[in-house]
Amino acid sequence: MVGVLALQGDVREHARALEAVGARAVPVRRPSELRAVDALVLPGGESTTIDKLARRFELHDLLRERIAAGMPAYGSCAGLIMLADRLVDGIEGQQTFGGLDVLVRRNAFGRQVESFEEDLDVTGVEGGPVRAAFIRAPWVEQVGPGVEVLARTRTAGTGDRVVAVRSGRLLATSFHPEITGDHRVHALFVRMVQEAARQ
């Protein structure tokens, strides 16, 4: 059973993608719901708002604990920010759940009007390039020694930027696979959850 953090963002879209690849998806808004799931998806949205709401709903500390204890988690866009150990351009007092040994820059690709799509080769995803939608997206500026880079973007004007990473049971992307109809990134995450369950 995979939870989708239902504080903000593309909750329904992530749930549909997870169901399409064979997982049971449930919304998570309360500590009891978080304790009941085997894994968690952190959707896009506004990372500062997710941080504030997670604290208000008494989820923040429990999320940090479960991620640190090995719960599989996948973060897209703002979810990547929330899984990062370190931020560039975070607002004063902003906290993340942590777990990924990366440095992430918020809103790195620009404003909403500068959103774009690109076909990316993603390590671990077979069947050709993944159509990736970037909406006020972050990028990864530094990765720690235990973090595998899965994809880079080469869109004009941005250079060679890291936009998908994996570290153990944690997966994160700068882009939104849940809105393009391509469920292969979610399938990769579900395989990670199944592997974790067998260990």
Side-chain angles (χ1 to χ4, degrees), residues 98-116:
L100 272 176
D101 184 10
V102 295
L103 175 68
V104 170
R105 182 176 293 275
R106 296 172 66 244
N107 301 328
F109 287 101
R111 298 170 298 163
Q112 189 92 7
V113 295
E114 296 166 298
S115 301
F116 66 97

Side-chain angles (χ1 to χ4, degrees), residues 30-54:
R30 300 176 180 85
S32 60
E33 295 166 342
L34 178 56
R35 292 187 186 98
V37 298
D38 302 302
L40 188 69
V41 170
L42 308 172
E46 172 52 54
S47 61
T48 55
T49 301
I50 293 170
D51 171 30
K52 291 173 184 174
L53 290 174

Side-chain angles (χ1 to χ4, degrees), residues 95-194:
Q95 299 178 25
T96 68
F97 307 132
L100 272 176
D101 184 10
V102 295
L103 175 68
V104 170
R105 182 176 293 275
R106 296 172 66 244
N107 301 328
F109 287 101
R111 298 170 298 163
Q112 189 92 7
V113 295
E114 296 166 298
S115 301
F116 66 97
E117 294 187 10
E118 181 178 347
D119 291 327
L120 299 176
D121 293 319
V122 181
T123 301
V125 174
E126 298 179 354
V130 171
R131 189 68 176 171
F134 293 85
I135 304 169
R136 293 182 60 214
W139 66 47
V140 178
E141 296 212 338
Q142 297 174 1
V143 298
V147 178
E148 178 186 7
V149 173
L150 302 183
R152 297 175 185 269
T153 181
R154 293 175 176 82
T155 294
T158 65
D160 184 4
R161 301 296 183 179
V162 174
V163 294
V165 293
R166 178 180 179 179
S167 179
R169 296 177 178 180
L170 301 180
L171 176 69
T173 61
S174 298
F175 54 89
H176 292 267
E178 74 279 4
I179 65 174
T180 62
D182 186 338
H183 304 315
R184 288 176 293 161
V185 172
H186 290 82
L188 169 62
F189 180 59
V190 170
R191 290 196 302 272
M192 291 169 56
V193 176
Q194 292 167 339

